[in-house]
Amino acid sequence: PFYKLLPEYRTNFETVDSIRYVIEPEEHSRRLETGDIRMRGSFSLKWCRYGDGESWQESEGSISMILIEKADSFLIKDLNYSFK
């Protein structure tokens, strides 16, 4: 569960100076009965920690999510990702 990883996420974000995050959707669909939008694709992530100057680290992987339409935006109902 996410709450068990929360301390690790907080520590990581406290030490990061810059993040570049790109999601490339590969397929998506809308469930007619719920209106939820399901998306699957890949992501790439680059980050630089405080004090590292221009020393960027990189990672990539797959991502899927379920979105709920809310007014003129979307909320994330479910999010799954894994690193290569």
Side-chain angles (χ1 to χ4, degrees):
F2 178 76
Y3 71 90
K4 289 184 178 180
L5 296 172
L6 197 51
E8 186 174 337
Y9 275 89
R10 281 192 178 131
T11 299
N12 285 339
F13 280 104
E14 288 171 355
T15 63
V16 171
D17 183 33
S18 298
I19 297 176
R20 295 180 184 158
Y21 193 84
V22 176
I23 296 175
E24 294 289 337
E26 294 169 4
E27 57 181 70
H28 67 280
S29 62
R30 181 183 291 263
R31 296 187 67 182
L32 295 177
E33 62 275 5
T34 63
D36 294 354
I37 298 171
R38 295 174 180 266
M39 187 281 300
R40 187 177 62 78
S42 59
F43 71 89
S44 62
L45 175 64
K46 295 181 181 182
W47 69 95
C48 181
R49 297 191 184 280
Y50 288 109
D52 282 353
E54 290 298 316
S55 178
W56 289 86
Q57 299 178 43
E58 300 180 34
S59 192
E60 59 184 26
S62 61
I63 189 167
S64 65
M65 62 180 82
I66 299 174
L67 304 171
I68 301 170
E69 197 167 0
K70 173 120 182 186
D72 60 348
S73 189
F74 296 92
L75 300 175
I76 297 173
K77 179 179 178 181
D78 187 61
L79 174 66
N80 291 292
Y81 63 93
S82 60
F83 293 94
K84 287 186 179 176

